[in-house]
Amino acid sequence: MNEQRPQRIIIIGFGPVAASLIEGLLPAAASGQCEITVISAEDQLAYNRVLLAELAVGAAEFAHLSMADPQRLADAGIEVRLGVRATGIDRSRRRIHLGDNDFVSYDRIVFATGARAVVPTLNGLNFEPHTDASLPAGVFALRTVEDAHQLRKSIGLGQRILILGGGVLGIEAALAIARTGAQPVLVHHGPTPLGRVVDADGGALLTRNLREAGVEVIPGAKATGVQKDARGFTGLMTSTHGLIQADALLISTGVRARTELASGCGLPVGRGIKTDEFLCADTEGRIFALGDCAEVSGQPPVGLLAPGWAQAAFLSQLLLQLTSSAASEPLAAPDFSASDVLMLKGQGIELTAAGDISAGYWDDTDLQATVYADPARGRYLKIVTRQDAITGFLAMGLPQTSAELVLAYERGTALPEDRSSLLRLDDPATDQISAIPSDEDQLCRCSGATYGQVSHAVDAGCTTVAQVGESCRAGTGCGGCKSKIEELLSKAPSLA
């Protein structure tokens, strides 16, 4: 009887989602059930892209971003080929062609190619949508460690740095740059930053808070091109504000899935590589896609770690089942839906939003809009409800109220009839009991880790945030939940 050979799994791309997939496959690789090869065009092992802005301003070192242990990979027999680009796939021969005129054979392929920065159509920039743009000196798109290192060289005391784009990443980058003593300028098309999330009053308060944090804000700008001299970028040309001079330009106008390799071998692509609900991209069950490059069951990539990690956890189980000779029950169709709660924190700015807050007081008799504003203290709240259940909210400068609203929004529970009672949660003079999170409530928005998973990690002996992160990934993304993890750690009984 012939012994079954190990299945050859090739993973193309090595970002945080691929690292999570590999973590789930480590035992099978170590036991010889499968052979895993990782093809990565970057020269570094997987790292946390969420913290690239911190790396660029010197607030973090690369070691803090690392998400893969080379020794563990080597011990499991996983081959990692860094700085190697996959150039084509021969599906009939099951070969992946590489940029060095080499090839690797496969039984299964996983596309984890992620996304590239969208470079807007501006005079002086290469805006080809399916290639990595060749940007002139002084122009950056913060997607890789190399981008962060190059941007860091341009950030100096008093340097004027333009950030094009008013989304969360652009705002966070501007706030990080402000801490260095440089002069960040946030240039965006709409009337306010986060224009799809905030209303007019909330946007006005956000703009004021950004300016107080040292960020110049230029709204309503329509960029047309970049001005350069022999040394590189010197200014952004606009049709609305003329020439905006600066020392560097950081582009933060969104991302686009890397699909050209999949498209080139005949796989269907749209806003990402099209897959079914089981992440399968072909009819033979040999090719899969996940993370920022995957359009799962018609849903576009969401660009968040939590659903990507959920996809990785499911796909590792599916691949283990497919590569095993033992009979097993088919896996149920997974749910990769992600919460639309948005959080922004930094430099004294605290904003949480979810759902749709566009309804006015008299727009719909079924909807109730409640608004509270205290601009002098940087506080603003708008809640839209239907039969006392939240359909959308925006909260600024009200962290405890925000936490309560997030729980109510995600649980679908009713708010108190007197909405003003929520504001007492942020009154230091009032001893108010807020809702207690259940084990199923999400604590870490990046990883999707719940309060129950973190509590279990603490009960199992974790005593630091880093140890909790190793156990369930909580706190390994943006870091916004570390204070909650520290609170749970502080309540744990000491081990005498």
Side-chain angles (χ1 to χ4, degrees), residues 267-450:
L267 295 174
V269 301
R271 291 164 292 185
I273 302 169
K274 293 186 176 183
T275 78
D276 62 15
E277 66 270 33
F278 297 101
L279 305 177
C280 186
D282 68 345
T283 57
E284 298 177 318
R286 293 191 176 277
I287 303 179
F288 302 84
L290 79 173
D292 287 351
C293 71
E295 181 182 318
V296 182
S297 296
Q299 297 300 310
V302 295
L304 300 173
L305 278 178
W309 277 343
Q311 291 170 10
F314 168 80
L315 187 55
S316 64
Q317 296 180 52
L318 179 60
L319 290 173
L320 290 177
Q321 188 178 86
L322 293 173
T323 58
S324 173
S325 57
S328 57
E329 290 292 325
L331 296 177
D335 178 14
F336 299 130
S337 58
S339 171
D340 65 347
V341 173
L342 178 148
M343 293 184 178
L344 173 67
K345 295 183 180 181
Q347 293 283 88
I349 297 177
E350 190 276 335
L351 180 152
T352 307
D356 184 1
I357 64 165
S358 61
Y361 297 120
W362 321 112
D363 291 350
D364 187 332
T365 55
D366 290 336
L367 294 175
Q368 177 182 344
T370 304
V371 175
Y372 164 79
D374 185 2
R377 290 186 173 87
R379 294 180 167 189
Y380 182 78
L381 176 66
K382 181 173 182 179
I383 308 171
V384 178
T385 55
R386 186 187 300 273
Q387 297 179 345
D388 292 332
I390 302 175
T391 60
F393 73 91
L394 168 66
M396 300 178 64
L398 297 163
Q400 299 305 318
T401 303
S402 296
E404 190 86 357
L405 290 171
V406 168
L407 291 178
Y409 177 75
E410 295 187 332
R411 293 175 178 177
T413 54
L415 291 180
E417 184 175 344
D418 179 7
R419 306 286 192 264
S420 66
S421 63
L422 292 167
L423 299 170
R424 300 188 187 114
L425 296 171
D426 285 288
D427 182 357
T430 302
D431 185 14
Q432 186 80 6
I433 299 176
S434 60
I436 299 174
S438 70
D439 284 351
E440 290 73 32
D441 286 320
Q442 197 175 81
L443 183 148
C444 176
R445 308 227 152 250
C446 293
S447 68
T450 63

Side-chain angles (χ1 to χ4, degrees), residues 166-192:
V168 170
L169 295 181
I171 292 172
E172 290 179 342
L175 291 171
I177 291 170
R179 297 200 306 266
T180 69
Q183 299 176 12
V185 182
L186 189 68
V187 182
H188 60 94
H189 181 71
T192 68

Side-chain angles (χ1 to χ4, degrees), residues 136-150:
V139 180
F140 309 94
L142 197 54
R143 289 295 296 172
T144 68
V145 165
E146 182 59 27
D147 293 336
H149 288 325
Q150 292 299 321

